[in-house]
Amino acid sequence: EAGVAQSPRYKIIEKRQSVAFWCNPISGHATLYWYQQILGQGPKLLIQFQNNGVVDDSQLPKDRFSAERLKGVDSTLKIQPAKLEDSAVYLCASSLDLADTQYFGPGTRLTVL
Amino acid sequence: QKEVEQNSGPLSVPEGAIASLNCTYSDRGSQSFFWYRQYSGKSPELIMSIYSNGDKEDGRFTAQLNKASQYVSLLIRDSQPSDSATYLCAVKPRFNAGGTSYGKLTFGQGTILTVHP
């Protein structure tokens, strides 16, 4: 079974630029999560989708971050404009449903200069 | 107060010893508890889950949960150098009527474990 796929794996941008990350969950998984992991910290949930609907985006900085999951499969997370403090690893995870085990993708390491 | 607290370490143990990792959480109504292992530069990998008070064993790993004390721990017996990683404690809240936070995992900052030969 293929795991969660993410791209790109690494991205370096200057502050005030925009960036987008892509995630393809495990086939059949209804729930998709985006986490932000800053160096030395645990992952922090940014947004959670159930199929193509948002379940929880309470910790998403909506003035600069946006995410969508069209057709309930792939998802994109966008940052516009980026700030220095957005430098982190962005992890995508998926689970069969809300109550099930979350499986993480390899992450995208973002560096904002 | 942080929702999930762990000692960041580093915790250093000799090969073959027992490594003990601890975690406390603030939400008394939390229902599910998880330990993830994260190697440097890699993504978190689930190693243990526990839902009721007591001990749960899986190979060299034992998770312990005490809901009254809001405490969960992970013991690693016969520690190996390959166990060297960051161990993340994660907590899932109780189900709420709107279902808005049911799947949400709240992570601690992680404990760095080093097993030396």
Side-chain angles (χ1 to χ4, degrees), chain A residues 33 35 37 42-43 45 48 55-56 59 98-102 104-105, chain B residues 36 38 41 43-44 46 88 92 99-100 102-105 107-109:
Chain A
Y33 312 80
Y35 289 88
Q37 186 173 23
L45 181 71
Q48 175 184 342
V55 175
D56 185 347
Q59 298 192 92
L98 284 171
D100 296 298
T101 300
Q102 295 182 28
F104 285 83
Chain B
Y36 282 80
Q38 188 172 29
S43 57
L46 180 68
L88 297 161
K92 205 179 265 194
T100 57
Y102 187 56
K104 175 183 176 180
L105 282 174
F107 285 86
Q109 68 183 79

